[in-house]
């Protein structure tokens, strides 16, 4: 096992976490990525950038987000006591604003005119359109047709915020194809555009940069949790799509060997091909979207069709640092199914009065399974990555009868 104290030094200069990550892009784009890396290293050391980001986190996002001790749920399911890091209370309703503000400030600093991105559930699109409006950049968002229909309130939000939304109607019409479309648009003009990726994925420096911006979640939580309980949490749980909210929580604890860390992937309808997006559970290393990581792929290396009830988890790849953390066994990766997730969605709503995003409900579902297996006095800190307002119409239409909404 590699030395845990080395985590904060990763990735290496070429963007590798062990064998994962790197940058697999055409030379012209590599040149631009090198510029972004250099600008990021330069700007993040400056007092002006740090104090502006700090000001926005505090007065715009509403940081620090609280930690809530879910006593009702703990009593019902424990064993262990369950706590939530409330990223759902951030401005725009999820953790994504933490990195879009950083990316928008960097794009502005580099003199870019337009910031572009893909979006799955629309959360990244909304967070980026918000940051673009605030910082003063044009914003173009690529979104799969399926997701445009499913997450329509977020499409309207992006448009109200002044962004242009491009519907992607090819392939699976979901996140992977939206990434492809956004990448192609970026390649046409990487000089005036800045690609603000939505998670800890893509070529170097994005997995590092997005992680750094998201790590505020864990650094806050570490201090808050110790203040509340006098100890570190025994277990951390976060859902994993690309892996940004998870690595955001995990980073501050990676060197605390007594803290169990668990990432939760969507097992969807079943673990049959096309019915899940459990990349680390069932994938193999490969290259997609300019980086090497575990990947759900066929025998020729083409990405497989993936599915999750949560659009934001619907991606055949995963952030390279998670692949590394899996291989060195520092983080365990487990799954929650659609069925368990919907149960958790209603349970958290009805027991604690918190409607979670379907993505976050995967982490809640896993915590509900884990808590009864642990002894009294143990603790679980769950990253509640976002709120479920965006999902209520979809849930009502699909599960309304079962959960007495009619
Ligand atoms: C986008 C999103 C996710 C998944 O993305 P990660 O990069 O894996 O965090 C999870 N939760 C919410 C609320 C999201 O919007």
């Amino acid at each position: 096992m590699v030395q845990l104290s080395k985590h904060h030094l990763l990735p290496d200069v070429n963007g590798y976490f062990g064998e994962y990550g790197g940058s697999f892009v055409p030379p012209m784009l590599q040149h631009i990525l090198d510029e972004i890396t250099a600008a990021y290293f330069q700007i993040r050391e400056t007092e002006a950038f740090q104090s502006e980001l700090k000001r926005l986190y505090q007065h715009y996002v509403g940081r620090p987000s609280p930690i809530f001790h879910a006593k009702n749920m703990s009593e019902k399911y424990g064993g262990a006591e369950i706590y939530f890091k409330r990223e759902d209370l951030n401005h725009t309703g999820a953790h994504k604003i933490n990195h879009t503000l950083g990316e928008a400030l960097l794009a502005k600093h580099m003199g870019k005119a337009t910031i572009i991105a893909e979006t799955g559930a629309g959360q990244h699109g909304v967070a980026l359109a918000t940051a673009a409006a605030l910082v003063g950049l044009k914003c173009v968002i690529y979104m799969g047709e399926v997701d445009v229909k499913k997450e329509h309130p977020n499409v309207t939000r992006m448009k109200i915020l002044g962004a242009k939304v491009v519907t992607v109607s090819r392939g699976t019409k979901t996140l992977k194809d939206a990434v492809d479309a956004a990448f192609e648009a970026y390649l046409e003009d990487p000089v005036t555009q800045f690609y603000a990726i939505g998670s800890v994925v893509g070529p170097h420096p994005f997995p590092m940069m997005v992680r750094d911006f998201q790590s505020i979640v864990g650094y806050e939580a570490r201090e808050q949790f110790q203040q509340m309980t006098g100890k570190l949490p025994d277990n951390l749980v976060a859902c994993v799509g690309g892996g940004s909210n998870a690595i955001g929580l995990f980073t501050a604890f990676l060197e605390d060997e007594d803290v169990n860390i668990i990432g939760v992937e969507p097992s969807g309808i079943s673990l049959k091909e096309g019915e899940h997006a459990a990349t680390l559970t069932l994938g193999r290393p490969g290259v997609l979207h300019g980086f090497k990581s575990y990947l759900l792929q066929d025998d020729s290396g083409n990405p497989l069709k993936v599915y999750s009830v949560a659009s934001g988890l619907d991606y055949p790849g995963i952030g390279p640092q998670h692949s590394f953390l899996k291989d060195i066994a520092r983080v365990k990766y487990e799954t929650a199914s659609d069925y368990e997730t919907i149960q958790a969605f209603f349970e958290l709503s009805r027991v604690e009065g918190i409607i979670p995003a379907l993505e976050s409900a995967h982490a809640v579902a896993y915590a509900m399974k884990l808590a009864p297996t642990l002894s009294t006095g143990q603790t679980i800190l769950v990253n509640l990555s976002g709120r479920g307002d965006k999902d209520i119409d979809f849930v009502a239409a699909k599960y309304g009868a079962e959960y007495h909404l009619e």
Side-chain angles (χ1 to χ4, degrees), residues 93-96 121 123-124 198-200 239-246 312-313 357 359-360 385-387 390:
H95 67 289
K96 292 204 174 74
Q123 292 297 96
H124 178 59
S199 186
V200 283
C239 68
V240 183
S244 67
N245 88 87
L313 303 183
E359 291 79 8
S360 323
S385 53
R387 61 176 172 242
K390 66 184 177 58

Side-chain angles (χ1 to χ4, degrees), residues 44-368:
R44 78 171 186 182
E45 302 304 330
T46 65
E47 170 64 25
F49 179 74
Q50 298 216 349
S51 63
E52 180 61 356
L53 197 58
K54 193 171 161 198
R55 182 182 79 88
L56 295 178
Y57 280 168
Q58 187 177 348
H59 299 289
Y60 189 73
V61 179
R63 307 207 68 86
S65 63
I67 287 183
F68 178 66
H69 181 190
K71 291 187 181 168
N72 300 335
M73 192 169 242
S74 303
E75 200 166 297
K76 194 163 168 187
Y77 293 92
E81 298 296 318
I82 301 172
Y83 294 77
F84 292 109
K85 176 66 170 160
R86 298 289 310 273
E87 292 298 295
D88 61 312
L89 294 177
N90 294 344
H91 178 45
T92 69
H95 67 289
K96 292 204 174 74
I97 192 75
N98 300 327
H99 71 252
T100 58
L101 285 174
E103 287 178 316
L105 289 178
L106 177 60
K108 185 81 175 177
H109 169 79
M110 293 182 74
K112 308 289 182 183
T114 306
I115 195 158
I116 73 169
E118 79 294 337
T119 195
Q123 292 297 96
H124 178 59
V126 169
L128 192 65
T130 301
L134 178 73
V135 169
L137 291 164
K138 275 188 263 173
C139 180
V140 183
I141 302 293
Y142 296 81
M143 188 170 184
E145 192 181 325
V146 170
D147 295 329
V148 166
K149 289 198 183 115
K150 186 168 154 196
E151 311 283 357
H152 206 264
N154 273 344
V155 176
T156 306
R157 266 182 210 113
M158 287 184 262
K159 290 181 179 169
I160 289 173
L161 290 161
K164 185 176 159 199
V165 180
V166 179
T167 301
V168 179
S169 301
R170 66 190 191 195
T172 59
K173 305 176 186 179
T174 58
L175 183 57
K176 186 213 149 265
D177 298 283
V179 177
D180 289 340
F183 239 74
E184 281 164 27
Y186 184 50
L187 282 173
E188 280 169 25
D189 176 13
V191 175
T192 73
Q193 302 188 107
F194 184 98
Y195 191 161
I197 224 154
S199 186
V200 283
V201 297
H204 183 61
F206 290 104
M208 168 186 72
M209 207 162 69
V210 172
R211 174 202 62 194
D212 292 351
F213 292 134
Q214 285 297 342
S215 64
I216 180 86
V217 175
Y219 285 110
E220 273 177 16
R222 202 168 188 285
E223 226 179 277
Q224 291 169 311
F225 200 88
Q226 281 178 303
Q227 260 172 24
M228 284 175 90
T229 69
K231 297 187 307 180
L232 292 178
D234 298 304
N235 301 275
L236 301 178
V237 177
C239 68
V240 183
S244 67
N245 88 87
I247 207 73
L249 178 65
F250 299 168
T251 296
F253 299 90
L254 286 173
E255 287 160 35
D256 300 308
E257 289 185 54
D258 292 340
V259 178
N260 294 317
I261 308 186
I262 301 137
V264 184
E265 301 194 303
S267 55
I269 297 166
S270 81
L271 288 176
K272 281 204 296 236
E273 187 181 313
E275 297 195 343
H276 66 88
T279 307
L280 286 175
T281 306
L282 291 173
R284 294 176 283 118
V287 173
L288 177 70
H289 296 144
F291 68 107
K292 182 178 175 194
S293 198
Y294 276 76
L295 178 64
L296 289 166
Q297 56 187 313
D298 66 18
D299 291 338
S300 337
N302 299 309
L304 290 173
K305 203 167 154 275
V306 287
Y307 160 83
S308 165
V309 71
S311 309
L313 303 183
D314 206 345
Y315 184 63
I318 180 136
Q321 192 170 2
H322 287 288
S323 295
F324 174 70
L325 291 169
K326 174 192 160 79
D327 282 5
I328 66 165
R330 176 62 191 99
V331 177
K332 266 200 310 183
Y333 293 88
E334 305 279 356
T335 59
S337 67
D338 279 9
Y339 179 79
E340 293 166 328
T341 296
I342 295 297
Q343 274 192 321
F345 174 90
F346 279 101
E347 195 62 6
L348 187 62
S349 300
R350 290 176 180 183
V351 173
E352 300 286 359
I354 300 171
I355 303 177
L358 286 175
E359 291 79 8
S360 323
H362 284 75
V364 179
Y366 186 77
M368 284 164 53

